[in-house]
Amino acid sequence: MSPLVHSIVRGVVGLGLFAIVTAGVVGLTHSVTLERIADNRLASQYQALEEVVPASLHDNDLVDDTVTLSAAEELGQEDAFSVWQARQDGNTTAVILPVITHQGYSGDIALLVGIKANGELTGVRVLSHQETPGLGDRIEARKSDWIKQFEGLSLGNPPADQWTVKKNGGSFDAFTGATITPRAVVNAVQDSLEYFATHRQRLLEAPD
């Protein structure tokens, strides 16, 4: 084999080995990254669910205990969706509804709404939104306590005609310069309570 051919072969083999090693490193990094992303996502989900239904109300794993329901226009769910069940000693004590309202100022607002078996709200949290920073984003628990005012409320408390912002004659505060966003959340929470009242038996029954 001539020196030139030998040099070419050695270069090709070297490049091949480099490509194999590089692909292996990239693949391993990708796998580790995906696992980390999945773990972080699961941790975030745990945190959000626990904020909506506190640990004192359940002894089960909220993430794994769900029931699947058909599409619900009232909740902004166009396809089948999952509802989380909080249980103690095998009995459902509360449910967590995933809700999407299309009434936001800048787009959809995704919420988690926790409701006790007796129809009382355990909590509400915002999962995602596109509302104006410094104004509408105060619906986030980390920006203000506004979202926490729903805890303990229910249908009839306040009366049905009071489930809107004070600017419209209701019981709920709005934000200075931002009325549409809080009004959308209030309406969505009321819709959630009405949905629960209508589908209570199905929501509270144990999974098949």
Side-chain angles (χ1 to χ4, degrees), residues 65-102:
D65 285 328
T66 62
V67 292
T68 301
L69 302 177
S70 56
E73 183 179 349
E74 312 95 302
L75 304 181
Q77 299 292 349
E78 299 177 354
D79 301 304
F81 65 102
S82 294
V83 172
W84 294 271
Q85 289 185 327
R87 285 189 257 111
Q88 280 185 331
D89 300 324
N91 298 314
T92 304
T93 57
V95 296
I96 301 175
L97 303 177
V99 184
I100 300 173
T101 174
H102 307 302

Side-chain angles (χ1 to χ4, degrees), residues 3-23:
L4 177 60
V5 173
H6 181 74
S7 176
I8 293 174
V9 171
R10 187 171 57 185
V12 170
V13 172
L15 286 173
L17 290 173
F18 176 78
I20 292 172
V21 172
T22 301

